[in-house]
Amino acid sequence: MPRPNTSKRWTLVLKEPKFNLYKSKKREHLWQVRLGSYAKYRRRQFDADTLENAKAEALKIAGLPDPEEEELGPSVVDAANETFDRSRRGEKATKDWLSAWERFLDWLGEKHPSATQWQDLSRSIIREYADLHKDKAPNTQRLYLQPIIQTSSYMAAEYGLPDIATNLGISSKTVNPPASVYLTDVADFLDWLADHRGWLEAGPALQGLAGLQLQEALRLTWDKVDLERGLIEVSGKTKNEYRNRVIPVCSRLLDALHRARALQLERKRRTKVQNVKDTVVVGKLGGPYTEYTGYSSQVRSAIREFNPDLDWSPKDLRNALPTFASQKGIRNDVWEQYVGHAPQSVTARHYVCRLTTATKGERQDLDEKMAVLRERVVSPIEAALQAHEAAKESD
């Protein structure tokens, strides 16, 4: 069937990939949009007073967004904030994140001032910024670029945008690998603290013998400690849900906690100064640490005085239990649960209980869980410490 001659009635005024727009030669305000097909049912006529309005109407009929009105997506700042809000970070990690983004935004404003929306960024821009830091230590590179990499991944997942910051080739090696921390060395260090700096013993004991993170130790309060049953509860502001736990502790740590409690009660009686937060770990004058840096400085000084050859940092004390378990070949899901690591297996996530605060009705269940941890974790620790003490006495 021959095509009808429409050139006498319509003039082509706009040609787009998915539609063409025509203007009537006889009627001033009559337009026709053809949706990529000759067939009549793919044509629509409408009235519009200007070409601009006709184009907007044609886009609506074609079911297409107006490129000039199409959403540009989040700005670079909004993308960073949205990614941050969807993640969980501690105080220090938050400072590092904000600092890294401030550094990147300052550079972006100077080098690429027109790149204000996330879609304005490109792989070449991210690579240019990454290359700016290529001569820095791997730790520094990760610190500067990880927030950008994470935001790029989030924008790809949530908005379907290209992941422009993947595979930048940043080394995963650490400049200073974690120091080797052995349980017996920790025990000797704690004995030295008990004799020379008794007020400081509780913090390193919680880190080295219970696997608490430095901040977890500093936040622990006496209402979360059961000295009679030998239990401590880690809860509240933690890194993730697996950090919330109740664990039994070995006798050496329990002794340190008893000494710390007695020292604080005696100080309160003498000075009538109350520790408002009633924290377990306190400074030399009896007050809680307001910044972890003060505690770290004092522990670091004590380590150097105890043994100048040790290359421990205060946070390394937590490594003693995982190191011990690995040496003995007994590291498993129960040990991971004890120190608050995220389970590595589906079985651990769903069938190995995560320990949290128990109500009276849950007391029996809690006792059963504590019995498992005492058998699998605390008993080997007790045996190792007793053997170490016996060896010291025989020397």
Side-chain angles (χ1 to χ4, degrees):
M1 183 176 184
R3 294 185 180 185
N5 187 358
T6 60
S7 61
K8 295 180 180 180
R9 292 185 292 154
W10 302 98
T11 299
L12 178 63
V13 295
L14 185 64
K15 192 171 185 178
E16 296 287 342
K18 293 188 178 181
F19 71 91
N20 292 336
L21 180 63
Y22 293 82
K23 188 176 188 304
S24 173
K25 292 182 178 180
K26 295 183 178 181
R27 291 176 52 184
E28 182 179 0
H29 300 304
L30 182 62
W31 305 78
Q32 184 183 85
V33 59
R34 302 179 187 178
L35 307 180
S37 171
Y38 164 72
K40 189 173 182 179
Y41 70 89
R42 298 286 289 172
R43 302 179 184 189
R44 299 289 186 274
Q45 293 183 14
F46 57 89
D47 291 326
D49 54 357
T50 65
L51 174 61
E52 182 179 354
N53 291 338
K55 179 183 176 182
E57 185 64 24
L59 288 167
K60 291 180 182 179
I61 294 173
L64 301 172
D66 188 337
E68 297 181 359
E69 296 180 359
E70 187 176 2
E71 291 186 6
L72 297 176
S75 67
V76 175
V77 174
D78 288 341
N81 289 337
E82 185 174 340
T83 305
F84 177 81
D85 291 340
R86 293 285 184 175
S87 60
R88 293 185 61 184
R89 284 177 176 78
E91 182 179 349
K92 186 176 186 305
T94 296
K95 290 180 180 178
D96 291 340
W97 171 281
L98 297 176
S99 177
W101 263 109
E102 183 178 356
R103 182 179 292 104
F104 175 69
L105 292 174
D106 288 344
W107 175 86
L108 189 66
E110 180 181 349
K111 299 294 184 180
H112 302 277
S114 62
T116 58
Q117 304 298 123
W118 182 262
Q119 293 187 54
D120 296 335
L121 298 181
S122 64
R123 175 72 175 189
S124 61
I125 291 178
I126 301 300
R127 171 59 67 188
E128 180 184 350
Y129 184 69
D131 288 345
L132 188 67
H133 307 291
K134 63 182 179 181
D135 294 330
K136 292 182 171 62
N139 285 352
T140 302
Q141 292 183 49
R142 288 194 294 272
L143 188 66
Y144 287 177
L145 291 167
Q146 183 55 39
I148 301 166
I149 293 172
Q150 187 174 351
T151 302
S152 178
S153 176
Y154 176 83
M155 295 302 291
E158 295 295 320
Y159 293 89
L161 299 173
D163 189 349
I164 57 176
T166 187
N167 297 326
L168 289 174
I170 300 173
S171 174
S172 59
K173 295 181 179 180
T174 57
V175 177
N176 297 311
S180 298
V181 180
Y182 300 105
L183 187 64
T184 52
D185 292 336
V186 170
D188 289 341
F189 176 54
L190 295 177
D191 290 343
W192 183 90
L193 285 176
D195 293 335
H196 297 85
R197 302 185 189 181
W199 53 272
L200 191 57
E201 180 189 9
L206 287 165
Q207 292 179 256
L209 300 182
L212 268 63
Q213 285 188 312
L214 188 152
Q215 293 281 20
E216 290 175 342
L218 294 183
R219 294 191 185 110
L220 184 65
T221 51
W222 285 112
D223 63 313
K224 304 296 184 181
V225 177
D226 188 335
L227 292 174
E228 292 184 2
R229 302 174 69 194
L231 305 178
I232 63 173
E233 175 190 329
V234 181
S235 58
K237 188 177 181 181
T238 57
K239 184 177 181 181
N240 56 51
E241 60 181 310
Y242 301 105
R243 302 289 187 191
N244 291 288
R245 60 201 188 278
V246 173
I247 57 175
V249 299
C250 66
S251 57
R252 176 62 182 83
L253 172 53
L254 195 58
D255 289 343
L257 293 176
H258 275 291
R259 281 191 289 270
R261 188 58 172 165
L263 184 62
Q264 290 186 27
L265 292 175
E266 176 60 26
R267 182 183 288 115
K268 288 180 180 180
R269 282 193 291 267
R270 286 189 288 103
T271 63
K272 297 183 180 180
V273 174
Q274 301 295 313
N275 179 0
V276 178
K277 291 187 177 180
D278 204 26
T279 51
V280 175
V281 181
V282 297
K284 188 174 183 179
L285 299 180
Y289 288 96
T290 56
E291 292 287 342
Y292 75 91
T293 51
Y295 169 79
S296 295
S297 177
Q298 291 170 1
V299 173
R300 185 178 289 106
S301 174
I303 291 172
R304 300 297 176 263
E305 188 173 340
F306 164 66
N307 187 343
D309 295 330
L310 286 177
D311 58 351
W312 299 348
S313 67
K315 64 182 180 63
D316 290 334
L317 291 167
R318 169 177 159 82
N319 298 338
L321 290 192
T323 300
F324 171 75
S326 297
Q327 286 179 318
K328 298 296 183 180
I330 56 176
R331 187 168 179 175
N332 51 34
D333 288 332
V334 176
W335 275 84
E336 299 300 299
Q337 175 181 295
Y338 188 87
V339 298
H341 286 167
Q344 298 299 311
S345 66
V346 173
T347 299
R349 290 191 185 98
H350 296 284
Y351 300 103
V352 177
C353 298
R354 295 191 300 266
L355 305 175
T356 55
T357 304
T359 63
K360 291 182 179 179
E362 296 170 324
R363 189 181 183 95
Q364 181 178 356
D365 183 45
L366 177 63
D367 287 341
E368 292 175 356
K369 294 171 184 175
M370 294 300 99
V372 172
L373 288 178
R374 284 194 173 95
E375 177 186 355
R376 301 287 185 86
V377 178
V378 178
S379 292
I381 294 173
E382 295 278 19
L385 293 177
Q386 289 173 9
H388 178 60
E389 286 300 315
K392 286 170 61 177
E393 293 177 1
S394 63
D395 289 342

